[in-house]
């Protein structure tokens, strides 16, 4: 099951929600790690043009990142150390871990200069490579106003010695991890048709190049399983979805979903004869 269910008990809001990262917990491995590594290797080999994007300014920071990953594995997860090949250093690093890896370089603004993203959640990496943080988030309603300046300022301030992490979640109509595109229309269906998807994201600055490494570890669980495990899950979920601004609901593909899944509404609309 998934280790994080970040549903807040207050109305939905777009926020950074950053927490200090314990260095030994930068990368996460669990019982799914071996399967995830082989899925990632297959996607890198078979879908390379969609999961790998590399610009020249990202090369030196990627080489630095590979060294940092190897050093981290040797110290914290020695059982996960594996031989590396002679592909681009970011691709080699991405084969070793369960996280997707993005390298952000400070130029006129912070730009995405190298990425291996095997598990996108309905976005296309090819449209994001080379883009600034604001451009990357162009489709996210309210990002510019609520997060544009704070995220840029945060990236300027990240200290080599101190990383951060945050959680992001959504509800999707598929358990697939590789979801490069797809209509954001909310299909019908009951709890059984929905999957709760959590991204654990980390941010660290590399000491040599000064680039920022953004990692994304994706966890997916059937919503019905989470509802069995926690009697408050569905209520918290529908409260979050229903309190999100309509533009966010449309962006996330949630329009009408809260109403359909809400047990309070279902109870009141159920015919009693
Ligand atoms: C503190 C830093 C960041 C914050 C607070 C943030 C916040 C967000 C939020 C609120 C969304 C909306 C999607 C959702 O809630 O499910 C989003 C989407 C996204 N973010 Fe970030 N983000 C951050 C850093 C980054 C970085 C460094 C990248 C670099 C690749 C990135 C790439 C994306 C992408 C690709 C999307 C989907 C955009 C689309 O639909 O086209 N984010 N982000």
């Amino acid at each position: 099951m998934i280790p994080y269910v970040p549903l807040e008990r207050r109305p939905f809001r777009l926020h950074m929600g950053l927490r200090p990262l314990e260095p030994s917990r930068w990368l996460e491995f669990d019982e799914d790690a071996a399967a995830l590594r082989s899925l990632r290797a297959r996607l890198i080999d078979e879908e390379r043009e969609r999961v790998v994007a590399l610009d020249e300014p990202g090369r030196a920071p990627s080489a630095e990142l590979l060294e940092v990953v190897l050093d981290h594995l040797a110290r914290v997860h020695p059982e996960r150390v594996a031989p590396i090949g002679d592909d681009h250093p970011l691709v080699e690093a991405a084969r070793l871990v369960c996280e997707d890896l993005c390298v952000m370089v400070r130029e006129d603004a912070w730009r995405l200069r190298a990425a291996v993203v095997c598990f996108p959640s309905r976005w296309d990496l090819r449209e994001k490579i080379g883009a600034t943080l604001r451009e990357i988030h162009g489709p996210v309603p309210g990002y510019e106003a609520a997060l544009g300046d704070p995220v840029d300022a945060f990236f300027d301030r990240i200290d080599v010695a101190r990383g951060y992490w945050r959680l992001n979640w959504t509800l999707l109509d598929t358990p697939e991890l590789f979801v490069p595109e797809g209509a954001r229309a909310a299909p019908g269906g009951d709890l059984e048709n929905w999957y709760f998807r959590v991204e654990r994201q980390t941010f660290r600055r590399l000491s040599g190049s000064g680039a920022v490494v953004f990692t994304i570890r994706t966890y997916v669980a059937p919503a019905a399983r989470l509802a069995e495990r926690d009697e408050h899950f569905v209520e918290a979920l529908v409260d979050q979805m229903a309190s999100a601004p309509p533009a966010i609901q449309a962006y996330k593909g949630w329009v009408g979903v809260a109403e359909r899944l809400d047990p309070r509404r279902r109870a009141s609309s159920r015919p009693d004869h």
Side-chain angles (χ1 to χ4, degrees), residues 14-16 18 102 104 112 122-123 128 133 136-137 139-140 143 147 151 154-155 166 168-169 184 203 214 251-252:
L14 278 186
H15 66 125
M16 297 219 285
L18 295 164
C102 298
M104 308 291 300
L112 178 62
R122 292 184 172 163
W123 56 275
K128 310 290 186 185
L133 281 166
I136 290 168
H137 292 97
V140 181
Y143 175 92
L147 295 173
V151 172
F154 163 62
F155 268 66
R166 67 185 294 270
N168 207 19
W169 65 271
R184 291 180 196 269
F203 306 85
F214 173 53
Y251 166 72
K252 297 245 201 183

Side-chain angles (χ1 to χ4, degrees), residues 26-28 40 94 97-101 200 215-217:
W26 179 39
L27 305 172
E28 293 196 332
R40 296 171 63 74
V97 300
C98 300
E99 281 78 6
D100 285 324
L101 302 176
R200 176 184 183 268
T215 72
I216 312 157
R217 172 71 198 262

Side-chain angles (χ1 to χ4, degrees), residues 26-100:
W26 179 39
L27 305 172
E28 293 196 332
F29 291 92
D30 58 16
E31 66 279 5
D32 296 333
L36 286 174
R37 270 192 185 174
S38 43
L39 173 59
R40 296 171 63 74
R42 184 170 67 71
L43 288 165
I44 289 169
D45 293 340
E46 294 175 8
E47 300 281 353
R48 187 168 176 115
E49 71 292 351
R50 293 213 279 182
V51 305
V52 177
L54 305 166
D55 273 354
E56 195 46 38
R59 185 157 191 111
S62 295
E64 185 182 4
L65 173 58
L66 176 59
E67 293 305 317
V68 170
V69 167
L70 290 170
D71 175 65
H72 183 85
L73 293 185
R75 281 186 298 107
V76 186
H77 306 282
E79 71 288 359
R80 307 290 179 181
V81 172
I84 55 167
D86 57 4
D87 204 333
H88 187 283
L90 191 67
V91 178
E92 295 298 341
R95 286 179 190 273
L96 290 171
V97 300
C98 300
E99 281 78 6
D100 285 324

Side-chain angles (χ1 to χ4, degrees), residues 44 48 60 74 93 153 187 209 219 237 245 251 254 268:
I44 289 169
R48 187 168 176 115
S209 61
Y219 295 96
L237 178 69
Y251 166 72
W254 293 344
S268 60

